Every structure is written in structure tokens, then in C-alpha cells.
């Protein structure tokens, strides 16, 4: 299932969400177009490598890794989800609050990804702890978690690809709920198999998003209802 757009329009312009998308796209092409060797150097030095973090080193990569992507499809998928779901979450948090929340979700997702490595067999742990983790998906998973709580009844236009392609409308609670269930199942499998996707970062980011909304008691902005006034002319009776 691929989300196309939601029918839940925000009340304010999501300037911060636009800024995050622009920063991700700009940095990807800035580094990627310099060639594979340069981009590999960027990933190794600015991606989050759990081994260094566990030693208390390269802690800045909690932030820098959130603005790196493996390829154009990785970038496009993440930015699509951020574009669809981020505007309404920014609407609920406010501009500055949303920016802070985004980074908290991303950092929390990376921490849970690192913790998940300790549940792996020793040989897989020694392999995975040296692999750079990159991408905005941990933070975006936090956005999905927040959206799941704030707008469960919002309708998501979704492209379903089976034997034929159809567009259906799915409530957010089911679309995001299915997405989270898939990440959780794949995360369990990833504890025993070497995979290229940090599923536990997705799970962790989602949980952080849910908890932040619950703990801070964030509510969707109230939408103004249209009020109609009617003018009634009363004629004075003739004497």
C-alpha cells in the first residue's frame, strides 16, 4: 500500500515540514552527485554507527544521520510519508514544537535501534554494530505515531497494488496500524537475519511519537465551524 494524500487539511501552513523536506532533498543531491566514493565517505563519517555511539563517540551522528539516504527511492519514500503526515502533526504541535518533536523522535528511534542489537546472536551483533544507520525514517515514524493518536479517523487515499492497481480510502488508524504491525513483525525477523532496514528504528520512533503525544496531552487544533446569520425583516402592521 502506498499513501497518495490525506483528506485532512491543516489549518496553518507547515513551514517546518517544508523546510525538513527541502533540507533532506538538498543534502542528498549535494553529496550524492559528487560520486559514489564521496557519498560513501559521507555515510561512513556522518551515518550513525552503533559501535562508536556505545563508546560515547560521534554523538553528533544522531542528528546528521537523519539527513542522509541510501538512494533516490529511499529518499522519495521517506519524503512522501513526511509530506502527507507531517503537516497535520505540525498543526497540532506548532512550528517550534514540531521541530523539537521531530528530532526527539529521530534520536529516540536511533536509541531503540541500538538497543535492539543486543537481542541478536553474538555473531550478528558484531556485524550489525559496525553498520552505519542513515535515513529520516525514525523521525518520520514518530510523526506517524503522533498522527495515529491525533487523527485516527482521517482518511488516507491509498494506492493498492495487487493484480490490478486501485485507489481506496483507508482510515488512518487502519493504514498506520497495518504499517506498524508490519514493522514490528519484520523487526522480530531482523533479530535473527542480517537485513538492510533498521525496522526497530521504525518501531522505536513510532512508540516515541505515541508517548510524546500522550504525555504532553497534545490535541488537534479546533476547527472553526461555519456560522450562518439570517436576517429577518418584520414589517410593522398598518394602523
Amino acid at each position: 500500500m502506498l499513501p497518495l494524500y490525506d483528506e485532512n487539511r491543516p489549518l496553518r501552513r507547515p513551514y517546518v515540514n517544508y523546510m525538513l523536506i527541502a533540507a533532506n532533498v538538498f543534502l542528498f543531491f549535494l553529496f550524492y552527485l559528487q560520486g559514489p566514493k564521496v557519498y560513501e565517505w559521507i555515510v561512513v563519517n556522518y551515518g550513525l554507527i552503533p559501535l562508536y555511539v556505545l563508546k560515547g563517540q560521534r554523538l553528533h551522528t544522531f542528528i546528521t544521520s537523519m539527513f542522509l539516504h541510501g538512494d533516490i527511492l529511499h529518499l522519495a519514500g521517506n519524503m512522501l510519508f513526511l509530506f502527507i503526515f507531517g503537516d497535520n502533526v505540525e498543526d497540532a504541535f506548532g512550528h517550534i514544537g514540531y521541530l523539537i518533536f521531530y528530532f526527539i523522535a529521530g534520536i529516540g528511534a536511533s536509541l531503540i535501534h541500538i538497543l535492539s542489537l543486543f537481542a541478536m546472536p553474538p555473531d550478528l551483533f558484531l556485524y550489525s554494530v559496525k553498520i552505519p544507520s542513515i535515513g529520516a525514517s525514525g523521525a518520520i515514524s514518530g510523526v506517524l505515531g503522533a498522527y495515529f493518536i491525533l487523527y485516527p479517523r482521517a482518511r488516507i487515499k491509498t494506492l493498492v497494488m495487487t493484480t490490478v492497481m486501485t485507489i481506496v480510502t483507508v482510515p488512518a488508524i487502519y493504514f498506520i496500524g497495518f504499517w506498524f504491525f508490519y514493522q514490528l513483525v519484520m523487526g522480530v525477523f531482523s533479530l535473527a537475519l542480517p537485513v538492510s532496514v533498521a525496522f526497530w528504528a521504525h518501531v522505536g520512533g513510532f512508540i516515541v511519537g505515541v508517548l510524546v503525544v500522550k504525555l504532553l496531552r497534545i490535541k488537534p487544533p479546533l476547527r472553526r465551524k461555519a456560522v450562518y446569520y439570517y436576517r429577518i425583516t418584520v414589517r410593522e402592521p398598518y394602523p
Side-chain angles (χ1 to χ4, degrees):
M1 295 194 301
L2 183 69
L4 301 176
Y5 63 90
D6 67 340
E7 298 179 355
N8 187 23
R9 298 296 90 193
L11 298 181
R12 70 184 95 185
R13 287 197 177 275
Y15 295 114
V16 173
N17 206 51
Y18 292 156
M19 179 192 71
L20 290 170
I21 293 172
N24 275 281
V25 173
F26 173 76
L27 290 173
F28 173 79
F29 286 106
L30 175 66
F31 299 132
Y32 195 77
L33 293 179
Q34 296 184 47
K37 289 186 178 180
V38 173
Y39 199 71
E40 182 180 353
W41 184 90
I42 292 292
V43 168
V44 169
N45 286 274
Y46 292 98
L48 188 142
I49 300 178
L51 181 62
Y52 288 109
V53 173
L54 292 172
K55 293 180 179 180
Q57 302 172 359
R58 298 191 184 183
L59 300 184
H60 62 279
T61 59
F62 275 107
I63 301 299
T64 57
S65 63
M66 295 166 59
F67 293 93
L68 300 175
H69 290 84
D71 54 38
I72 188 68
L73 290 179
H74 186 202
L75 174 71
N78 276 349
M79 294 306 101
L80 175 64
F81 273 75
L82 185 58
F83 179 77
I84 293 173
F85 298 103
D87 55 354
N88 294 113
V89 177
E90 181 176 346
D91 212 15
F93 276 88
H95 300 307
I96 302 301
Y98 175 67
L99 184 63
I100 296 171
F101 164 77
Y102 183 87
F103 285 115
I104 289 175
I107 293 170
S110 294
L111 287 173
I112 293 177
H113 165 65
I114 294 172
L115 289 175
S116 72
L117 302 181
F118 289 92
M120 294 179 173
D123 56 340
L124 187 55
F125 170 83
L126 293 175
Y127 167 78
S128 300
V129 79
K130 301 175 184 177
I131 302 298
S133 175
I134 59 174
S137 53
I140 296 170
S141 297
V143 171
L144 290 175
Y147 196 104
F148 181 79
I149 298 299
L150 293 168
Y151 308 101
R153 296 183 181 87
R155 297 183 297 179
I156 313 299
K157 285 291 184 180
T158 306
L159 177 64
V160 178
M161 293 172 283
T162 53
T163 53
V164 295
M165 290 192 298
T166 56
I167 296 176
V168 298
T169 301
V170 183
I173 192 170
Y174 295 121
F175 180 90
I176 299 177
F178 176 80
W179 174 90
F180 176 73
F181 177 75
Y182 175 79
Q183 305 304 315
L184 187 60
V185 170
M186 294 303 296
V188 172
F189 282 113
S190 72
L191 296 177
L193 298 170
V195 296
S196 59
V197 179
F199 287 105
W200 285 103
H202 301 172
V203 173
F206 181 89
I207 294 173
V208 171
V210 169
L211 290 177
V212 169
V213 170
K214 288 291 189 180
L215 291 175
L216 298 183
R217 298 181 180 179
I218 303 295
K219 301 293 182 183
L222 293 176
R223 296 182 178 272
R224 295 179 181 177
K225 294 183 178 179
V227 178
Y228 299 94
Y229 296 91
Y230 297 92
R231 181 178 178 180
I232 301 176
T233 302
V234 179
R235 292 185 177 182
E236 292 290 339
Y238 291 103

